[in-house]
Amino acid sequence: MSRSIRAICLGGMTLSMGAAFAQDAAQPLQRVEVTGSRIRQVDLETAQPIQVMTSEQIQKTGLVTVGDVLNQLSSAGSPDFSKGGSLTSNRENGGQYINLRNLGSNRLLVLVDGKRWTQSVDGYTDMSTVPASMIERIEVLKDGASSIYGSDAIAGVVNIILKKRLEGGNLSVYLGQNEKADGKSKDFSLSFGANGEKTSLMFGLSHTEQGVVWAKTRDITKYPRGPKYQNEGLGVGPWGEILPLDFSFDKVLNHTGGPLGDGVGQDSRNPANYHDWDGGPLDNFNSASQMMFAMPTRLDTIFTKGTVELPYGMQFQTTAMYSQRKSVAQVAGYPLNSESQPAFPVYIDKDSYYNPYGSSVVGAATAQDLYFYRRTIEVPRVTENRNNTLHIDATLSGDFEFRSLPWNWDIGYNHSAVKGSLLGTGNVNLLNLKKALGPSFLNASGVVQCGTAANPIALAECQPWNIIGGPSASTPAIMNYVMATGQATYGSTTNSATANLAGEIFTLPAGAIGVAAGIEHREVKGYDLPGQFEQSGYSTDLAGNPTRGRYTVREAYAELNVPLLKGVPLADLLSVNLATRHSDYSNFGVTNNSKASFMWKPIKDLLVRGTWAEGFRAPAVGDTFGGGQQTFDTYVDPCDSLYGATSDPAVAQRCAAAGAGAGFRQLAQTGPITSGAGDQSPYPFVAGAGNTALTPETAITKTVGFVYSPSYVPGLTVALDWFNVKITNQITAISATEVAEYCYVDNLAPYCAALKRDPATGQIISLNRGNANKGALMTEGLDLSVGYRLPRTQYGQFGIRSETSYVDKLRDQATTGAEWTDYAGQYFYNRVKSNLSLDWSLGDWSATWTTRFYSGVKDRCYKVNADECSNIGGEASWGKNFNKLGSTSYSDLSVGYKTAWKGQIMVGVNNVFDKKPRLITTPAASSSRVDADYPIDRFFYVRYNQAF
């Protein structure tokens, strides 16, 4: 193998992969296309850092989905959508997305065999829809590539290369589970291929499951705020809490049991059977007892690929794949109150038989309607998300010579579509609720009936509900009557036609000048349609408006590779690569983006490389045409006197002017917030509204690095790359906390206009957050890769692979001209992530030991005291006070054995040392303070592969 090929295979980023590209030295080296360039080259060295993962390495991770595998890359940040985000209400929930360089999953372009893969309406690509069993390798380009591929390639490009041909069949079976026997995973795949003289056909089936992990099964996750604070973070309780409309008292029904809702309520019609609500744990509910800590998913895929060799050096190739994913999320029963939908309030009628202050108890003269709080724990909220992905592509390609120089061309069509549906249970039909809490009476048969004795309503038409009596007073009939089944449909389609031409125009002393050019026409359309009942606002389900949109784009690109010097002193190689792309969008207009890169080898062993690239991301369909949806955000009000930012006199002054002065406390559903994690708003906010005035994000990416492969140490490769990415005019969905902080901490008037406070209480009762072109985002750091394949010994072949990413800066600018806020080193944004793998093989045996390291981070203080806050007064992006979490690491082991009958047995343990999870203040999980994207337990697995 040439040193050039070894450099990219062993040191390009992921190491020890020479087998993926190795060729017999006696055979002529073929020209191949590497991710990041359209020009085929014999030499696989590139000016851009590329990381490669083979199918063998994927299996050795013990993980069954592409998303899980790629989320462990050292360059990958915390996922935008956590597998523990059971409260997340968007359509992406249940999928897996890669957040390269912490720049956002929608700023990463995902290709399959060099073609765009499906995207959601909001521009996210679900990596779980590509079955790992069909993958030959994955190439990760950690550099901007908009000039080559167009929109979205800002953080980089993931190109999943599927298997091209197969002779015979392969069967793979996998089983795995946590030590506590949950989180069970299964993977089954069967593939078969046949090849003729001019044709090849491959067919595959796969089934993958990832099992549920319930929060209630572990002490560290069974309490919302952790075992040390068992009575904190509790939500609205299941026992009726009642208030008159003038709020002159606040009472809760007497009952047995505690925060699990496991008691029995007293007679709710007797006013003497109530006590004053004090916010204590007995009257509230531990919502984690009904919530999933990690959501289950299932994926079924059918795949086929065919190739036909045609006359005149032409080839026709087509790929078809259909995947069906199902994910389920369960959260606690709905925290119902009289104003769950402020536009349609529901009270307990003064003439309801069950009203303890109603006419049937205290008489008509003093009867009054009641405001209520009540969690419907009888029916937890369950959302089932079914997602179907269809991909079909067809390409006609060919090779020819012009002036004795090689050229290649292709024309192709690519269709990618995703269609999905959501089915939700556990929300309340407010129309029926109003009837159930309306006038009712005890009929002659001793049965409580809706209506009045003079104007009764048949039981078949209305079921009266003793909502105050709690779960022990409910019946299946009444729950069926008041509950609503919600539904929604969504989908997006990308159709594109492409034509490409590449080759060598003439030869210089240093080599051939390569060119590539092409055109593309792409249509993108999508929709997100909540059910009519959900749109009406008569359900406790989050009210939303429909999203529909479409745009087209016409593009043309050109690329030029020029070798300047070769084989001269201080320039064993010197070449430059230039590229540009013109894009014309129907919804916003024209954008042009270019790239320039170089490669320089002062000596044979050392490659120096660098890139300067413009990038852009066009607004997604949802960004522009999003209808918006209600959301009960978890947030921290900077005006909160305990956990906010009022220690800054300027912030305190702005808060006071807005009606949230000294001593102000942010109220959650059950009282003042109790930690720096904030809590869920009792008022519905609005998120995700589209903005037709959006324009593309623009970016400048700069990289400089080297690859060193010393000839005096065969098998050793070291690569170091500096990166700097700056995104301006960024399109972003702003969180509720950010809106409030931008208003009161940064004093930005546009964000103050987006929220409204109650003039009497100072509470934020309305907040609109959507998408906007705001400010800038930038990151800067280093990637280090070291690989060493040791000489073979009698004890086997040993190899070392190490990948490390260091983030020096990760800054956000709220608006142009505003101060930059640096998030590097804070929770979610580790400065250092590193993977170290030790490989060993001897005969039929092999083993891999991997250690993943995460540097320490700053987290919000859960409590401002010595136990929960290591740096009281310390500076962080949210203001003062932070808790420093130390570094952590996880180790994994995989052992394999090849049988004499073409089989392979592989067993492994992830998190070998059973590293226990830690409590954090701003977790990715909805149910607890534990992050669901880190190991919760030791995980065991076994896989068997059989070729036939």
Side-chain angles (χ1 to χ4, degrees), residues 173-387:
V173 180
Y174 167 100
L175 294 172
Q177 67 177 35
N178 288 320
E179 190 169 6
K180 284 188 175 293
D182 58 6
K184 295 181 179 179
S185 294
K186 302 176 183 178
D187 185 51
F188 167 84
S189 66
L190 175 65
S191 55
F192 185 82
N195 303 291
E197 184 178 348
K198 293 184 177 295
T199 61
S200 67
L201 180 66
M202 185 169 64
F203 175 80
L205 294 170
S206 71
H207 171 81
T208 302
E209 292 183 30
Q210 291 186 301
V212 65
V213 177
W214 292 98
K216 62 185 178 182
T217 58
R218 291 169 171 79
D219 284 342
I220 199 167
T221 58
K222 69 191 299 183
Y223 306 103
R225 298 293 183 260
K228 185 177 178 180
Y229 301 100
Q230 298 182 14
N231 295 327
E232 293 189 7
L234 304 178
V236 172
W239 309 102
E241 179 185 349
I242 54 175
L243 306 88
L245 300 191
D246 63 2
F247 296 148
S248 57
F249 65 77
D250 188 350
K251 296 180 178 295
V252 181
L253 180 69
N254 295 334
H255 59 89
T256 60
L260 296 180
D262 50 356
V264 175
Q266 294 185 359
D267 178 10
S268 61
R269 296 185 73 240
N270 186 349
N273 290 337
Y274 290 79
H275 62 275
D276 291 336
W277 182 81
D278 60 4
L282 297 182
D283 292 334
N284 291 323
F285 182 69
N286 180 355
S287 57
S289 65
Q290 291 187 322
M291 294 180 71
M292 292 174 174
F293 174 73
M295 299 176 291
T297 62
R298 186 184 72 195
L299 178 71
D300 295 293
T301 301
I302 183 171
F303 164 85
T304 185
K305 190 170 194 173
T307 302
V308 179
E309 300 291 340
L310 300 172
Y312 306 107
M314 295 190 299
Q315 182 185 78
F316 177 76
Q317 185 177 84
T318 183
T319 303
M321 182 186 296
Y322 177 78
S323 296
Q324 179 176 285
R325 175 175 61 80
K326 175 186 175 181
S327 60
V328 178
Q330 177 174 310
V331 297
Y334 192 86
L336 190 62
N337 67 64
S338 289
E339 294 182 346
S340 290
Q341 287 289 8
F344 189 78
V346 178
Y347 306 103
I348 303 173
D349 196 275
K350 60 184 176 59
D351 292 323
S352 168
Y353 177 78
Y354 295 114
N355 186 335
Y357 294 89
S359 56
S360 64
V361 177
V362 299
T366 58
Q368 55 184 318
D369 296 336
L370 294 179
Y371 189 106
F372 70 90
Y373 290 91
R374 160 78 149 86
R375 185 182 293 272
T376 55
I377 68 169
E378 299 94 318
V379 185
R381 288 168 286 169
V382 178
T383 301
E384 180 182 286
N385 189 346
R386 291 183 177 270
N387 180 294

Side-chain angles (χ1 to χ4, degrees), residues 927-942:
S927 59
S928 76
R929 289 175 61 194
V930 175
D931 193 336
D933 294 312
Y934 286 80
I936 187 67
D937 205 347
R938 185 186 282 126
F939 184 84
F940 298 89
Y941 66 90
V942 58

Side-chain angles (χ1 to χ4, degrees), residues 46-59:
T46 73
Q48 298 168 294
I50 298 176
Q51 178 171 345
V52 182
M53 294 192 72
T54 64
S55 58
E56 179 184 4
Q57 286 184 314
I58 291 172
Q59 286 201 349

Side-chain angles (χ1 to χ4, degrees), residues 390-676:
L390 174 66
H391 174 86
I392 301 173
D393 66 63
T395 303
L396 181 66
S397 61
D399 296 289
F400 66 95
E401 286 191 356
F402 178 67
R403 295 171 50 212
S404 300
L405 294 172
W407 285 77
N408 58 277
W409 60 271
D410 65 79
I411 55 174
Y413 179 77
N414 182 35
H415 170 79
S416 292
V418 57
K419 293 183 179 180
S421 63
L422 287 93
L423 184 68
T425 56
N427 278 286
V428 177
N429 181 327
L430 295 177
L431 295 176
N432 285 359
L433 178 67
K434 193 173 186 70
K435 295 177 183 177
L437 302 185
S440 57
F441 67 102
L442 189 67
N443 64 22
S445 301
V447 176
V448 180
Q449 186 173 349
C450 292
T452 64
N455 295 292
I457 301 174
L459 289 173
E461 299 178 17
C462 178
Q463 290 281 332
W465 188 13
N466 181 11
I467 190 172
I468 311 173
S472 59
S474 296
T475 65
I478 183 59
M479 298 312 296
N480 288 336
Y481 178 68
V482 299
M483 287 293 161
T485 297
Q487 61 87 29
T489 57
Y490 63 91
S492 62
T493 302
T494 300
N495 293 314
S496 62
T498 60
N500 300 287
L501 176 66
E504 298 175 0
I505 53 176
F506 56 87
T507 303
L508 297 175
I513 294 180
V515 297
I519 57 175
E520 178 176 359
H521 182 276
R522 189 166 67 252
E523 177 194 46
V524 179
K525 55 185 178 181
Y527 62 91
D528 188 340
L529 307 176
Q532 291 294 324
F533 192 60
E534 288 70 38
Q535 293 183 42
S536 71
Y538 293 132
S539 165
T540 58
D541 207 352
L542 300 175
N545 298 316
T547 295
R548 292 186 183 90
R550 171 187 175 274
Y551 66 85
T552 59
V553 56
R554 295 176 297 174
E555 296 184 292
Y557 77 91
E559 181 184 4
L560 176 68
N561 188 72
V562 182
L564 300 176
L565 297 172
K566 187 175 184 178
V568 300
L570 294 179
D572 187 66
L573 170 69
L574 177 62
S575 67
V576 296
N577 184 281
L578 306 173
T580 189
R581 191 179 192 94
H582 172 81
S583 304
D584 186 356
Y585 280 77
S586 62
N587 55 335
F588 65 80
V590 170
T591 179
N592 297 294
N593 296 273
S594 300
K595 180 199 77 168
S597 60
F598 75 92
M599 292 194 300
W600 173 46
K601 297 182 70 172
I603 57 175
K604 287 183 179 294
D605 294 352
L606 177 65
L607 167 68
V608 180
R609 59 191 179 187
T611 301
W612 178 92
E614 294 176 316
F616 79 104
R617 181 174 78 89
V621 170
D623 293 333
T624 305
F625 305 102
Q629 185 181 42
Q630 281 187 332
T631 175
F632 287 86
D633 286 317
T634 295
Y635 77 106
V636 178
D637 190 335
C639 295
D640 184 85
S641 58
L642 187 55
Y643 298 104
T646 54
S647 57
D648 183 332
V651 174
Q653 183 178 5
R654 295 177 196 126
C655 290
F664 169 79
R665 294 304 317 281
Q666 174 189 343
L667 296 180
Q669 296 175 352
T670 60
I673 62 171
T674 58
S675 75

